Amino acid sequence: MTGWTGALGTAVAVVVVRDGLPPLGADEAVAEAGGDVLLAGTGTGAATARLTAARRAWTAEAPRGVAPPGPAAIAAALRPHLEPVRVVVLPASPDGRDLAPRLAAVLDRPLLAGAIEVTSRGADVLRWGDRTLLTLTSDGPFVATLVPGVRGVEPVPDGGRGPVVAELPVDWTSAPRDATCEDVFAPPPDTTHLSEAPRIVGAGAGLGRGALSGPDAMVLLGRFADAVGASVGATRVVTDAGWTGHERQVGTTGVVVDPDLYIAFGVSGAAQHVGGLGSPRDVISVNTDPYCPMTARADLGVVADAAAVLEEMTRKLGGHRD
């Protein structure tokens, strides 16, 4: 395949790649753009094989032996190739959120940030604490970021061949100087946004029963989460009770997540909570009710008092209660 502008459709996903690994939400952004993706960074060729929704892929590989280019450099380098494209979709990953406003600026078009659905005319976004759905429209081209975990992905039936790949010629030498990245550190689990957390421990109403009060149980849950490298989530009952902030609420009316591991303490499994849980690889439920929806869904169900189990597990892991 030759000729970038002649082969490109009206929508494309732009994905920043580091060492061959696409970020969380990359496949969903590709699917939302109809299967066309432009990958920029390091290891872009290897990253194409990890995208199950890609039909056509263009790679803009950074020079060997250097760190991935920054958002200003990527935006400047991709601008002439993206100008004919009406809809540019990026995953709302850290790199995507950095690059999207710079792309919107150099392309002189609006940015529709935090979308849960992108169309040819605009995007649906959640605002005011994710409690209000707005439909934003654009009369012309626009850039959008797609929240990971909300749209899902249907793999392209390609018989295992993968996407058609073409190399995009990019002149990195003329790109503007950007901030220099010295190193990248994984964020502490307690500061990781729930939508990006690989491990989550969830608090339900069952933690408010027994010897521990609800707030005390949340403190203990935080210590347990630290011990197992997880982020703290909660049900709506817990956040409405004020035991933790609403930014920690997992569910369709809170934060949509898709962790590798979810450990639910005293979570019954209401529909809105389970609906925003994604498809965790492993689910553990601790609940006195062996027939509650969360335990029925779990890979491992522990039928016991959630607060007592939490206290004992935290003690064994070294996170003693004061």
Side-chain angles (χ1 to χ4, degrees):
M1 180 184 297
T2 60
W4 170 253
T5 56
L8 193 62
T10 58
V12 66
V14 175
V15 175
V16 179
V17 177
R18 293 178 180 270
D19 299 326
L21 296 176
L24 181 70
D27 240 340
E28 290 172 290
V30 175
E32 205 74 347
D36 280 3
V37 57
L38 192 169
L39 301 102
T42 56
T44 53
T48 60
R50 296 175 177 268
L51 298 175
T52 62
R55 297 178 183 273
R56 300 187 298 177
W58 290 263
T59 59
E61 184 72 16
R64 292 175 180 267
V66 301
I74 296 176
L78 299 186
R79 180 188 60 79
H81 306 288
L82 293 175
E83 282 181 332
V85 181
R86 176 180 171 81
V87 180
V88 176
V89 185
L90 297 91
S93 61
D95 281 327
R97 295 195 300 269
D98 278 347
L99 178 58
R102 295 176 185 263
L103 273 180
V106 299
L107 292 170
D108 191 23
R109 58 179 66 177
L111 169 62
L112 311 183
I116 60 172
E117 182 177 3
V118 180
T119 69
S120 61
R121 300 291 299 173
D124 288 340
V125 300
L126 291 174
R127 295 291 186 263
W128 293 285
D130 292 342
R131 294 177 181 272
T132 302
L133 176 67
L134 299 177
T135 297
L136 306 179
T137 58
S138 175
D139 293 332
F142 62 90
V143 176
T145 57
L146 184 69
V147 176
V150 298
R151 292 293 283 161
V153 178
E154 287 291 337
V156 174
D158 58 10
R161 296 186 300 274
V164 177
V165 181
E167 185 176 347
L168 182 69
V170 172
D171 182 11
W172 296 109
T173 61
S174 62
R177 295 188 62 183
D178 211 326
T180 301
C181 178
E182 297 294 336
D183 206 344
V184 178
F185 298 94
D190 61 344
T191 65
T192 301
H193 193 274
L194 281 177
S195 65
E196 300 173 358
R199 296 179 179 180
I200 297 176
V201 293
L207 280 184
R209 307 188 183 108
L212 289 176
S213 69
D216 288 341
M218 294 305 298
V219 172
L220 198 60
L221 187 68
R223 295 175 185 168
F224 174 75
D226 288 341
V228 298
S231 298
V232 173
T235 65
R236 183 168 183 170
V237 172
V238 170
T239 59
D240 284 350
W243 301 352
T244 189
H246 283 280
E247 72 279 359
R248 291 285 148 190
Q249 180 181 323
V250 174
T252 54
T253 58
V255 181
V256 177
V257 301
D258 192 18
D260 293 329
L261 172 66
Y262 185 64
I263 306 177
F265 287 94
V267 177
S268 63
Q272 75 85 19
H273 182 77
V274 174
L277 194 55
S279 302
R281 187 175 61 191
D282 297 297
V283 176
I284 299 173
S285 174
V286 184
N287 203 297
T288 55
D289 182 0
Y291 304 108
C292 70
M294 184 57 69
T295 299
R297 173 179 179 160
D299 301 286
L300 172 63
V302 180
V303 182
D305 178 73
V309 172
L310 174 62
E311 191 161 18
E312 180 62 17
M313 292 180 69
T314 305
R315 185 186 67 80
K316 287 185 177 295
L317 291 170
H320 297 283
R321 183 184 176 192
D322 291 338

